[in-house]
Amino acid sequence: MNDTALAARTERPARPRSSKPNGQWKIDGTEPLNGNEAWKQEDGGLSVRERIETIYADGGFDSIDPTDLHGRFRWWGLYTQRKPGIDGGKTATLEPEELEDRYFMMRVRIDGGALTTEQLRVIGGISRDFARGSADITDRQNIQLHWVEIENVPEIWRRLEAVGLHTTEACGDVPRVILGSPVAGISADEILDPTPQIREIADRYIGDESFANLPRKYKTAITGHPSQDVVHEINDFALVGVVHPELGPGYDLWVGGGLSTSAHLAVRLGTFVEPARAAEVWAGVTSIFRDYGYRRLRNRARLKYLVADWGVAKFRQVLESEYLSEPLPDGPAPEAPTTPGDHVGVHAQKDGRFYVGATPTVGRVSGDVLLQLADLIEAHGSERLRTTPHQKIVVLDVEQERVDSLVAGLAELGLYSNPSPWRRSTIACTGIEYCKLAIVDTKDTATETVAELERRFTADTGANELLKPLTLHINGCPNSCARIQTADIGLKGQLLPDGNGSQTPGFQVHLGGGLASETRDEAGTGRTVRGLKVTAEDLPDYVERVTRRFIADRADENQSFAEWALAAEEEALQ
């Protein structure tokens, strides 16, 4: 993007100041303006761990204080899950306590997605012993477990922490997991290894009380890989590897990204961050959010709204003058990616060994699969793997003569290194199976859709080649945990009329979105066609129809699905 376009996109005029205070601590003071802010100040989320260990684990679910249950528990990666049997039509009409079960989702925090086989085996054992075998790889590199009972939480923590894992600030109004390049330190073509910066930020600041009460959640992404493999455009804070003409390898700084019901793409500050200053800059941007973020209204409490109101120039000025030891130099923008960022397939490492990226179906695995995966990786001479922001896994450090055997073993576990375009590029959120916000099923719908599309396109090699990559993202509600606005085909769950006076699960269709990739120079949030909705039952038919129309109508062999969808007449997208 040139400087003129960047300025036009980022230098938005400031909005008129509201007559009411926004709850900005440095402007309005720290007096709480809503109940959520009040309990966070009275007793922070980190404090609840002691009560879980000494009171609630002994007293059971009924002994839990409601504010702890619906608030502070999140600071330790715990949410009550949805009670089975409550249909999506009641999601918006029932109170949280009416929707919730007596079981918890637990999110295991995995900064940078980095795991050892020992850690993987511990997670698998916890899943088997305490979570009914459940395990989902998320699009934020975590692993989520379900059916967790409060009585077992202290033992789960003990097992996780014995191998260097934890759930600290995996949820809540805090710095969430730090996304990191899944091939950090091993890729032959990376610009720099972000592992030291990820570790420094996590070690210094996660669990630190000074950042444990932010206005809302705060998401971080750091990569030194040219594929830009951490979806940096939709994070609050992101560092993307670049090479400065005088200062050498370092990072380009982006701020203010986030999707949900109001999508904002992150903007470049135009600064260069040397690796030694990455933690300082992270703390500075996070402090701006803490001190100037909007706390009065929860629906405007993300950093993206402050960045939109201030603009790039003011944000950079405040960062450098109030929070950094010295100004940041100007820096170059990242070059457009030339390789896929999901790392699926077999790739050479810089040390002559190989890494193997494999996709489960929409991130769903199980405790048994994790245990078997740990055994398989070790049997092939490795002890390291990574999760990815695309619900994939990457096995590191494989000798060339063992690659084929590993690929075959992964496939037996349902982890595919040469998947169809549908299995490779479909992701889905948790959905109504466990989530109290969801309206429709996602995981099963996505799994069935992938299988049906594979069946229909099995013999159509040409079509499959044209559809690489084609992203299909399925979300159970408007909150976009599955990033529907940045998918070729994004599906937002809702209930649709069934023609008989009732409702049926379905989706609003969003087309032509995407993040920077080898087929797209910069991110965009696509288009929503008025009235374009599809039932869950008809989803395979719709996806086949629109993709075959793309294949027939595309301008040339280089045109991507997103380019076609953004330019196509509405009738072609129906």
Side-chain angles (χ1 to χ4, degrees):
M1 179 184 297
N2 61 41
D3 291 341
T4 301
L6 175 64
R9 175 172 150 188
T10 59
E11 292 297 337
R12 305 180 182 96
R15 297 179 183 178
R17 185 64 197 274
S18 170
S19 59
K20 293 183 179 180
N22 282 314
Q24 296 170 278
W25 280 0
K26 272 206 169 185
I27 296 174
D28 305 313
T30 59
E31 182 70 23
L33 299 180
N34 58 54
N36 196 76
E37 287 297 310
W39 66 252
K40 286 196 293 180
Q41 285 198 31
E42 290 166 3
D43 185 15
L46 293 175
S47 68
V48 79
R49 174 161 178 161
E50 181 179 3
R51 291 192 289 280
I52 291 174
E53 293 178 320
T54 62
I55 299 173
Y56 304 144
D58 290 334
F61 189 87
D62 292 333
S63 70
I64 303 172
D65 174 82
T67 304
D68 284 348
L69 181 65
H70 300 123
R72 299 182 185 97
F73 269 40
R74 290 176 288 163
W75 270 242
W76 292 95
L78 293 164
Y79 281 103
T80 50
Q81 66 188 42
R82 188 187 190 95
K83 188 180 297 181
I86 300 177
D87 67 63
K90 296 180 179 177
T91 296
T93 62
L94 297 179
E95 295 298 320
E97 57 268 23
E98 297 178 286
L99 287 166
E100 70 189 3
D101 209 344
R102 299 166 68 86
Y103 300 94
F104 293 89
M105 178 274 287
M106 173 178 274
R107 184 175 293 157
V108 181
R109 180 182 183 123
I110 308 172
D111 290 301
L115 286 170
T116 66
T117 49
E118 178 187 28
Q119 292 171 326
L120 185 68
R121 191 172 283 110
V122 166
I123 297 172
I126 291 170
S127 169
R128 177 196 58 202
D129 296 344
F130 303 118
R132 300 189 186 180
S134 64
D136 287 336
I137 300 169
T138 76
D139 60 7
R140 292 201 62 81
Q141 295 182 282
N142 298 308
I143 294 179
Q144 288 185 177
L145 309 175
H146 297 280
W147 301 108
V148 172
E149 296 176 290
I150 193 62
E151 292 87 346
N152 296 321
V153 169
E155 172 61 14
I156 293 173
W157 281 338
R158 186 196 67 76
R159 294 192 191 185
L160 290 173
E161 290 166 6
V163 293
L165 293 171
H166 58 89
T167 68
T168 311
E169 297 183 341
C171 312
D173 298 349
V174 292
R176 302 287 183 90
V177 66
I178 302 169
L179 296 187
S181 172
V183 295
I186 59 98
S187 172
D189 58 348
E190 73 177 347
I191 298 165
L192 75 168
D193 178 3
T195 304
Q197 287 75 59
I198 294 171
R199 287 178 177 168
E200 182 179 5
I201 293 168
D203 291 346
R204 288 176 62 179
Y205 299 119
I206 302 309
D208 182 341
E209 289 283 359
S210 63
F211 292 124
N213 180 2
L214 301 177
R216 285 287 300 273
K217 59 188 172 184
Y218 182 76
K219 297 181 177 181
T220 299
I222 306 177
T223 184
H225 196 268
S227 67
Q228 300 176 23
D229 50 5
V230 293
V231 296
H232 65 278
E233 304 100 325
I234 57 173
N235 281 265
D236 298 279
F237 174 97
L239 296 175
V240 181
V242 294
V243 179
H244 192 282
E246 286 87 36
L247 300 173
Y251 298 103
D252 187 40
L253 173 59
W254 297 62
V255 298
L259 296 179
S260 190
T261 55
S262 176
H264 291 227
L265 295 175
V267 295
R268 294 184 59 238
L269 287 196
T271 60
F272 179 75
V273 179
E274 296 176 76
R277 297 192 68 189
E280 177 198 6
V281 174
W282 182 92
V285 174
T286 311
S287 297
I288 289 178
F289 182 43
R290 177 194 63 203
D291 298 342
Y292 288 102
Y294 305 141
R295 292 176 181 262
R296 181 171 66 89
L297 299 176
R298 293 283 288 176
N299 64 358
R300 273 183 54 81
R302 291 294 301 277
L303 182 63
K304 62 187 179 183
Y305 295 106
L306 182 68
V307 172
D309 288 351
W310 277 9
V312 166
K314 180 176 179 179
F315 195 96
R316 179 173 176 177
Q317 183 270 321
V318 172
L319 174 65
E320 294 180 329
S321 64
E322 296 186 27
Y323 294 97
L324 300 184
S325 58
E326 59 181 305
L328 297 166
D330 293 340
E335 296 183 4
T338 58
T339 58
D342 63 3
H343 302 297
V344 171
V346 178
H347 308 271
Q349 296 184 180
K350 62 177 65 175
D351 63 2
R353 293 181 291 180
F354 290 80
Y355 65 89
V356 180
T359 178
T361 302
V362 295
R364 175 137 292 176
V365 284
S366 68
D368 286 343
V369 166
L370 297 182
L371 291 167
Q372 293 173 65
L373 177 59
D375 292 341
L376 178 69
I377 294 171
E378 289 178 355
H380 286 79
S382 174
E383 294 181 344
R384 295 199 298 163
L385 71 152
R386 305 267 170 82
T387 55
T388 86
H390 301 278
Q391 297 182 338
K392 311 292 188 282
I393 65 103
V394 179
V395 180
L396 311 185
D397 306 332
V398 183
E399 299 291 345
Q400 183 173 12
E401 63 271 15
R402 294 182 168 185
V403 167
D404 290 345
S405 174
L406 175 66
V407 167
L410 289 170
E412 291 177 4
L413 296 179
L415 305 169
Y416 302 98
S417 298
N418 186 27
S420 72
W422 309 109
R423 195 169 298 270
R424 176 172 184 167
S425 298
T426 300
I427 69 172
C429 72
T430 300
I432 200 170
E433 181 180 9
Y434 297 120
C435 179
K436 299 191 297 292
L437 301 177
I439 301 167
V440 301
D441 172 85
T442 55
K443 293 289 190 184
D444 290 338
T445 298
T447 299
E448 292 164 5
T449 299
V450 165
E452 180 61 21
L453 291 169
E454 285 181 334
R455 185 188 67 79
R456 297 183 187 189
F457 283 84
T458 295
D460 199 339
T461 304
N464 283 334
E465 287 300 316
L466 289 173
L467 298 176
K468 288 184 177 180
L470 189 150
T471 51
L472 176 64
H473 293 187
I474 301 179
N475 212 78
C477 76
N479 288 315
S480 201
C481 294
R483 311 195 297 252
I484 57 171
Q485 298 99 323
T486 57
D488 288 307
I489 303 174
L491 300 164
K492 181 179 74 175
Q494 56 185 225
L495 295 176
L496 303 177
D498 68 354
N500 297 311
S502 297
Q503 294 178 309
T504 189
F507 302 92
Q508 182 182 59
V509 180
H510 195 94
L511 296 167
L515 302 176
S517 69
E518 76 279 14
T519 62
R520 188 178 188 127
D521 288 340
E522 62 182 54
T525 55
R527 67 188 287 194
T528 301
V529 178
R530 185 184 303 274
L532 180 51
K533 300 176 182 181
V534 59
T535 66
E537 182 180 6
D538 292 337
L539 184 56
D541 290 341
Y542 173 75
V543 175
E544 180 184 17
R545 184 166 66 248
V546 75
T547 52
R548 290 198 184 280
R549 182 65 183 265
F550 156 64
I551 292 168
D553 290 358
R554 66 195 180 112
D556 57 58
E557 62 183 14
N558 295 317
Q559 186 177 38
S560 69
F561 178 89
E563 290 170 333
W564 171 79
L566 292 174
E569 298 293 332
E570 290 190 0
E571 65 84 18
L573 305 176
Q574 300 295 326

